[in-house]
């Protein structure tokens, strides 16, 4: 994508678009030099490592807590979780399609798939809320027993992280014209895509853990 | 010719490939003029308060840490006086808390409040903040030849989160019951049940958890920034293996922070839920507290918290010490006018310490009833971590060996670091043996161990860094005479305060007690009083430092560009081309006029980098 630039100057290395907001430095990294050396993608990989540790702590706490005693009562997982999972997986596909359309310079499909991704993301969160509603209707709350404590905890923590990705998607939707013209926002698209796929994989992992333990 | 050699080096270990034309000085000039222009236009608030400039942010962190250190030191005075003279009323203390210190005499619970805030301030807001975020922001970009940190706005956010976190912690002095009493480790069930477990365990403990959670987020963002900056924004030619050891230390420390603070954050969430949402992650069944049966909680385990906490806690002690180790390596080389002995070994020792630091947390839990086989595994891993620490120590001695020592204040503190680190570190080997630790756990032996190896050693790192980089940070020199007096008093004071604690511990003196009233402890009281007097003196000596710091800000001798004749880029002429041609510690290079060669000096001399480049050329010629 950016291989045409082999020799970025010191200036661009120092001032590459940091991906933390985008404005301000965007003008400097434009001008055909691309963002091959941009700090955004590096940053998101590092952030993902940290988020992985955060969830590793929660899930290992869950495994330990489950092994502690007789009060671990399993709960039947709401069936809507399967639908939610399917929607989230689909949203990763649509985001990939959106990126491809952009690279093929097809603005319409780029925007369309982007909107689809955001919509699926919103639907996923709504579906997770519905799962909570269903459990509550069964009389299962956060403190009812340790297994459902972890169910609420893990879904909430994942949902909060996903909401962050959703905000980035909204931002992309709002700026899709400029992105399509190649003016800016390429880095944010790249970073958001990485993060969104990560949220997807993270959910698969959490869903598996919930299915096995809760 | 020169250009070709440079290219050969650049494409070496650096993951970014650059052509020679990219460092034309015109580019650099353009870059720096662009960065200056918007700065001037900004108002005071944007420039000095809500600043995105890493130079400013670094100073903000530094002064925040200084403030926290003073508060924490003051609290330690109160505690020490109470320990030595338990019936002595401290005038004015009741103004701090009428219920905690009626008529100036602190209650045992209030002692624990002071203890908790002292530990939390020192470990998080001083030792995690000043050496890493403070010096790191001021110097990491400069040392790497980067224009700035990777994410300036996140950087600003990190600082203000840290600031808020400090405010939340200190606010607990003002709430009913006062600050938390569960120590910097906040073990449940004490910390999980609310005010029934004591004053300070109501709102005070909640504020503690919120404060630490905020601190976690701030540290995570800071670590993200440091790692990205190091990976992506190094100047051309600055390969990883040419980074100063300070930069390596900040880099590895940031990785430790990134991985360990995430776990502490998760643990804080769970603890908070136990407190406010009625869950039972950490609270076991059948607890009776203050004569009352605890209802509504069952089946949890305090050990779960201990595992999560120490999984963070052990890396945290290395987060506190690694930057100070980096500073020490950096300074010993500069002031012995010799290259660091075994640079590569130093780098690998840093990485090894970072890695092993994640595998030893169980040594804090030997008395928790863990399976003896796990205890054995943790003991072996713990002893192994002493190996890279020893490698570092020997390399420091090797660096000094045969050097032409310049005993500046900064150097004295670096030497003091080595001494104190060893005096504190050796006792770790004893504590690492479960049968010995069963005796020594929760005694003053542990207090001596960690105050020397972490507390004092890291403070020495902060002091040497301050005396060394002050001219860079503020353009003036600190007063050397005052500095040397400060050093002697601090060095002697540190040993007087903390060495006797080893003996207290071996005699069975428990830690975290507000008063030593048991008969078997009475013979130790003279030693306790000696420690208190020494602690008051050690603290008083710090005012020399504070005075020197602020006086030198305005009245210090104007510093030249490179007052210590150092080699690394933070001392390079501002605006000079930031391309790097050699390793970081080329002191006393044969055949040079000066006894040091800066990293960005392209012209010649038989430095290793030049020799390699020449060899490359020779290869090319012979191939052709
Ligand atoms: C030579 C390597 C080291 C070994 C073998 C070692 C071993 C230990 C052990 C076994 C304990 C637990 C004692 C107990 O609570 O019963 C301990 C406590 C501690 N160590 Fe070390 N240590 C070493 C180096 C360090 C370093 C370099 C630091 C900090 C920079 C450090 C900081 C601490 C702290 C803060 C505690 C006490 C925490 C608390 O209970 O509040 N140690 N050490
Ligand atoms: Cu440890």
């Amino acid at each position: 994508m950016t291989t045409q630039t082999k020799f970025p100057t010191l200036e661009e290395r120092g001032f590459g678009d940091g991906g933390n907001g985008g404005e301000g430095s965007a003008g400097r990294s434009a001008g055909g030099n691309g963002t091959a050396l941009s700090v955004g993608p590096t940053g998101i990989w590092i952030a993902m490592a940290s988020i992985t540790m955060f969830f590793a702590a929660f899930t290992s706490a869950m495994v330990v807590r489950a092994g502690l005693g007789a009060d671990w009562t399993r709960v039947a997982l709401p069936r809507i979780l399967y639908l939610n999972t399917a929607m989230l997986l689909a949203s990763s596909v649509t985001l990939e399609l959106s990126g491809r359309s952009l690279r093929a310079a097809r603005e319409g499909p780029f925007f369309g798939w982007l909107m689809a991704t955001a919509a699926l993301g919103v639907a996923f969160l709504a579906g997770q809320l519905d799962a909570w509603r269903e459990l509550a209707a069964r009389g299962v709350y956060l403190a009812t027993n340790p297994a459902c404590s972890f169910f609420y905890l893990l879904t909430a923590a994942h949902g909060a992280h996903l909401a962050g990705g959703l905000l980035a998607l909204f931002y992309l939707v709002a700026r899709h014209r400029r992105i399509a013209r190649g003016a800016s926002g390429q880095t944010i698209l790249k970073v958001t895509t990485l993060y969104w796929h990560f949220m997807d994989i993270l959910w698969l992992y959490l869903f598996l853990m919930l299915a096995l333990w809760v | 010719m020169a250009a070709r050699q440079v290219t050969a080096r650049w494409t070496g270990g650096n993951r970014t490939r650059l052509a020679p034309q990219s460092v034309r000085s015109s580019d650099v000039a353009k870059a720096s003029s662009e960065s200056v222009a918007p700065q001037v236009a900004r108002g005071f608030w944007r420039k000095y308060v809500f600043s995105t400039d890493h130079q400013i942010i670094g100073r903000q962190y530094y002064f925040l840490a200084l403030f926290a250190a003073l508060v924490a030191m003051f609290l330690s005075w109160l505690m020490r006086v109470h320990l030595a003279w338990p019936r002595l009323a401290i005038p004015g203390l009741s103004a701090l808390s009428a219920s905690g210190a009626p008529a100036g005499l602190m209650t045992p619970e209030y002692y624990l409040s002071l203890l908790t805030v002292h530990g939390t301030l020192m470990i998080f807001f001083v030792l995690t903040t000043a050496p890493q975020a403070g010096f790191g922001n001021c110097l990491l970009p400069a040392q790497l030849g980067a224009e700035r940190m990777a994410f300036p706005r996140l950087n600003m956010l990190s600082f203000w989160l840290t600031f808020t976190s400090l405010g939340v912690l200190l606010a607990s002095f003002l709430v009913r019951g006062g600050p938390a009493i569960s120590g910097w480790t906040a073990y449940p069930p004490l910390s999980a049940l609310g005010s029934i477990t004591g004053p300070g365990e109501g709102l005070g403990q909640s504020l503690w958890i919120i404060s630490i959670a905020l601190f976690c987020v701030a540290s995570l963002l800071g670590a993200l920034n440091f790692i990205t900056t190091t990976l992506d924004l190094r100047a051309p030619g600055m390969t990883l293996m040419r980074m100063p050891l300070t930069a390596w230390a900040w880099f590895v420390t940031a990785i430790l922070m990134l991985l360990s603070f995430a776990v502490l954050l998760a643990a804080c969430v769970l603890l908070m839920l136990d407190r406010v949402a009625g869950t039972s992650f950490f609270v076991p069944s059948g607890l009776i507290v203050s004569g009352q049966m605890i209802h509504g909680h069952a089946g949890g385990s305090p050990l779960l918290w201990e595992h999560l906490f120490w999984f963070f806690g052990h890396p945290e002690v290395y987060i506190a010490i690694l930057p100070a180790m980096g500073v020490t390596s950096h300074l010993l080389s500069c002031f012995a006018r010799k290259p660091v002995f075994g640079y590569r070994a130093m780098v690998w020792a840093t990485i090894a310490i970072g890695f092993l630091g994640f595998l030893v947390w169980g040594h804090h839990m030997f008395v928790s009833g863990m399976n003896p086989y796990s205890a054995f595994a943790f003991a072996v891993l713990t002893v192994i971590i002493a190996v890279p620490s020893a490698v570092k120590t020997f390399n420091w001695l090797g660096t000094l060996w045969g050097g032409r020592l310049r005993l500046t204040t900064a150097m004295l503190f670096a030497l003091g670091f080595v001494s104190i680190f060893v005096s504190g570190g050796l006792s770790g080997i004893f504590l690492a043996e479960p049968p010995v630790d069963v005796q020594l756990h929760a005694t003053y032996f542990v207090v001596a161990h960690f105050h020397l190896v972490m507390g004092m050693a890291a403070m020495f790192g902060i002091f040497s860094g301050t005396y060394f980089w002050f001219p860079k940070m503020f353009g003036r020199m600190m007063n050397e005479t005052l500095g040397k007096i400060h050093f002697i008093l601090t060095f002697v004071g540190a040993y007087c305060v903390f060495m006797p604690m080893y003996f207290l511990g071996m005699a069975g003196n428990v830690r975290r007690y507000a008063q030593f009233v048991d008969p078997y402890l009475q013979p130790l009281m003279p030693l306790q009083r000696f420690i208190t007097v020494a602690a008051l003196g050690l603290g008083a000596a710090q005012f020399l430092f504070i005075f020197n710091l602020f006086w030198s800000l305005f009245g210090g001798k104007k510093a030249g560009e490179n007052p210590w004749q150092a080699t690394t880029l933070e001392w390079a002429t501002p605006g000079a081309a930031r391309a790097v041609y050699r390793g970081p510690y080329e002191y006393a290079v044969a055949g040079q006029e000066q006894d040091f060669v800066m990293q960005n000096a392209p012209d010649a001399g038989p430095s290793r980098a030049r020799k390699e480049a020449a060899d490359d050329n020779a290869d090319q010629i012979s191939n052709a």
Side-chain angles (χ1 to χ4, degrees), chain A residues 93-174:
Chain A
V93 176
T94 52
L95 190 55
E96 229 10 74
L97 289 173
S98 170
R100 287 209 185 156
S101 314
L102 181 66
R103 283 192 285 281
R106 290 161 58 218
E107 187 175 345
F110 157 66
F111 180 61
W113 290 122
L114 196 61
M115 287 291 285
T117 311
L120 284 167
V122 173
F124 172 83
L125 280 188
Q128 297 289 83
L129 282 177
D130 188 70
W132 285 7
R133 200 196 42 74
E134 184 187 325
L135 281 186
R138 278 195 247 147
V140 176
Y141 300 103
L142 176 66
T144 304
N145 77 59
C148 49
S149 299
F150 276 104
F151 178 82
Y152 283 108
L153 176 76
L154 292 176
T155 46
H158 175 264
H161 282 84
L162 190 104
L166 209 48
L167 286 182
L169 281 178
F170 292 156
Y171 179 82
L172 289 172
V173 166

Side-chain angles (χ1 to χ4, degrees), chain B residues 481-496:
Chain B
T481 314
L482 276 181
K484 282 178 182 151
I485 302 174
H486 173 226
F487 166 74
I488 292 170
L489 294 177
T490 307
F491 188 72
V492 175
Y495 271 108
C496 286

Side-chain angles (χ1 to χ4, degrees), chain B residues 123 184-185 187 309-310 313-314 316-322 325 363-367 379 382-387 389 421 424-433 437-438 440-443 446-447 449-451 453-455 457-458 511-512:
Chain B
I123 289 187
W184 81 281
T185 53
Y187 280 8
F309 182 85
W310 287 116
H314 190 83
E316 163 63 20
V317 306
Y318 285 102
I319 290 168
I321 206 67
L322 281 176
M325 289 176 157
H363 67 215
H364 295 276
M365 301 169 62
F366 285 147
V367 298
T382 302
V383 175
I384 291 177
I385 209 173
V387 174
S389 307
F421 179 74
L426 284 179
S427 58
I429 320 260
F430 295 73
L431 294 171
E433 306 306 327
D437 185 61
V438 169
L440 295 175
H441 179 71
T443 69
V446 178
V447 179
H449 163 66
F450 73 77
H451 274 94
V453 77
M454 177 173 77
R511 75 189 266 213
R512 291 184 168 176

Side-chain angles (χ1 to χ4, degrees), chain B residues 77-100:
Chain B
W77 275 359
L78 295 177
M79 288 188 290
R80 277 312 318 177
V81 168
H82 183 69
L83 288 176
W85 295 283
R87 271 174 288 280
L88 182 79
I90 300 173
L93 193 59
S94 54
L96 190 58
S97 166
S99 60

Side-chain angles (χ1 to χ4, degrees), chain A residues 27-67:
Chain A
R28 290 200 189 91
S29 59
N33 282 307
T35 51
L37 291 163
S38 164
V39 290
T42 313
I44 205 71
W45 279 106
I46 296 165
M48 291 185 319
S50 191
I51 296 171
T52 303
M53 286 305 285
F54 182 68
F55 282 92
F58 278 153
T59 46
S60 53
M62 177 169 85
V63 173
V64 170
R65 183 67 180 82

